[in-house]
Amino acid sequence: MERNVEKRSVTILGAGSWGLTLAHLWCHSGRPVTVYCRNQAGALKLSTTRLMEKPRAHHIRSEVVITSSLAEALANTDLVVFACNSQSMRDLATASAQVILASGSSNRPVLVSATKGLELGTQLRMSEVLSAVVPGCGVASLSGPNLADEVLSGLPTASVVASADFALARSLQSQLSAPKFRVYASDDPVGIELGGTLKNVIAIAAGACDGLSLGVNAKASLLTRGLAEITRLAVRLGAKPQTMAGLAGMGDLFATCSGPLSRNYRVGFELARGKALSLILEELGSVAEGVPAAEAVCELSKRLGLELPIAEQVESTLKGNSTPAGAIMALLSRPLASE
């Protein structure tokens, strides 16, 4: 007999700020939650102190199981949510596949990517990596304007779960929703994932815009043209244009570009204030996905023959080939065009 959909067990692979935030959210809603932390010492510390440090100090409920054993984390689970960084997704998925296949069970868990990024080199979306590495599992993606600090504070937000199998997305919709976390279903994983990836790149530009004190007009112009770039790339790869006007497109873009709750915004802001990228990332203490995404997106745009001028200037600035002020002037100096 199928278990109550509201009480299905959830395993979260990744004990960073977003993984632990999701654990808090779903545990609070009555779901059995296990969090996998690949570092044994880190798992022991979290289990002992029951305290997450980022995005801010917050208590981890006693019901949340924390383990450094991947086999333990994946045992008897219905749903596996990947909340790792994008460049470690393949390794974690490969290790997970070995555990899942070794179990010999025909009832394999559904896999959900809560990671926003593209794999460097292949430019694959995270759900594509999961589908390629872990056979025989349903795959979906979760994305939206979900700043971890606000979710932890109990502030309301919405998100989107997307799968090419819309019936799966509809099923996950009820499993992942919580009282102040409203989840919508979509059949456009391409749009959902690319929106979540490119907005991090635009957020770096938005942070630089504010760091240079360029004003509201400039930032509004930047976000609008940034959304146009996101849409141009996503539609070229098969996304629905309307997805980019939704939660995982415009919604996530505006949230991530709004201020310092976003790590990517902080990268751009501090770059504009003259701080070195290496020092910014060291002080963040966690991955700013817009940094590797800028490189991956520009590689992808070149392969497709698309112009993404904002992404290109962000990449140039991150590589030290330009300055934030120089990048803004380069964008303003481009040939005039129709909107």
Side-chain angles (χ1 to χ4, degrees), residues 9-335:
S9 59
V10 179
T11 291
I12 299 170
L13 302 185
S17 59
W18 187 227
L20 290 173
T21 297
L22 289 173
H24 167 80
L25 179 75
W26 291 326
C27 179
H28 193 73
S29 298
R31 294 169 179 79
V33 178
T34 298
V35 175
Y36 167 73
C37 176
R38 65 179 179 178
N39 181 281
Q40 187 173 15
L44 180 60
K45 180 180 179 181
L46 289 172
S47 297
T48 303
T49 65
R50 309 305 297 185
L51 185 70
M52 59 184 292
E53 298 176 352
K54 294 182 179 181
R56 58 181 172 81
H58 196 277
H59 175 69
I60 302 170
R61 292 173 62 127
S62 59
E63 298 93 329
V64 176
V65 176
I66 300 171
T67 179
S68 60
S69 167
L70 190 56
E72 179 184 349
L74 293 174
N76 303 313
T77 188
D78 301 296
L79 179 61
V80 180
V81 178
F82 286 76
C84 56
N85 71 70
S86 59
Q87 304 315 307
S88 67
M89 175 66 83
R90 184 175 291 273
D91 287 345
L92 183 55
T94 299
S96 299
Q98 293 171 349
V99 174
I100 292 169
L101 294 175
S103 72
S105 173
S106 58
N107 295 320
R108 294 182 181 172
V110 172
L111 311 180
V112 176
S113 168
T115 299
K116 299 173 181 179
L118 296 175
E119 185 178 51
L120 286 170
T122 67
Q123 296 100 48
L124 289 175
R125 293 177 285 109
M126 296 295 99
S127 69
E128 291 180 305
V129 174
L130 289 176
S131 295
V133 175
V134 192
C137 294
V139 175
S141 299
L142 180 70
S143 189
N146 307 141
L147 296 169
D149 196 288
E150 293 193 353
V151 175
L152 283 174
S153 298
L155 297 177
T157 188
S159 196
V160 185
V161 63
S163 176
D165 179 356
F166 188 57
L168 175 61
R170 288 295 300 271
S171 171
L172 290 169
Q173 181 181 16
S174 58
Q175 293 178 42
L176 302 179
S177 289
K180 294 184 180 180
F181 189 73
R182 181 177 174 84
V183 178
Y184 290 79
S186 170
D187 63 354
D188 185 14
V190 177
I192 296 301
E193 290 182 271
L194 289 176
T197 296
L198 272 77
K199 61 90 185 183
N200 283 330
V201 179
I202 305 302
I204 294 175
C209 185
D210 285 351
L212 294 169
S213 301
L214 298 182
V216 174
N217 291 337
K219 188 172 179 180
S221 302
L222 176 70
L223 297 191
T224 305
R225 296 313 304 161
L227 184 59
E229 286 195 17
I230 294 171
T231 304
R232 190 180 309 139
L233 178 61
V235 170
R236 178 65 175 272
L237 290 172
K240 298 177 180 179
Q242 60 266 33
T243 299
M244 312 330 297
L247 289 166
M250 183 170 64
D252 201 6
L253 175 68
F254 287 1
T256 309
C257 295
S258 63
L261 288 181
S262 160
R263 293 190 294 267
N264 296 286
Y265 173 97
R266 285 158 60 190
V267 168
F269 188 90
E270 296 296 342
L271 282 172
R273 294 300 176 93
K275 189 172 290 187
L277 178 61
S278 58
L279 180 58
I280 297 169
L281 297 179
E282 180 181 343
E283 290 177 348
L284 282 177
S286 52
V287 174
E289 283 288 1
V291 176
E295 180 179 347
V297 165
C298 287
E299 289 175 354
L300 186 56
S301 67
K302 290 172 186 174
R303 178 161 63 84
L304 297 172
L306 288 177
E307 278 193 291
L308 302 179
I310 297 174
E312 290 163 8
Q313 289 302 323
V314 169
E315 183 195 31
S316 178
T317 301
L318 292 172
K319 290 185 173 180
N321 298 326
S322 182
T323 64
I328 293 293
M329 289 310 301
L331 290 171
L332 291 173
S333 301
R334 296 181 70 248

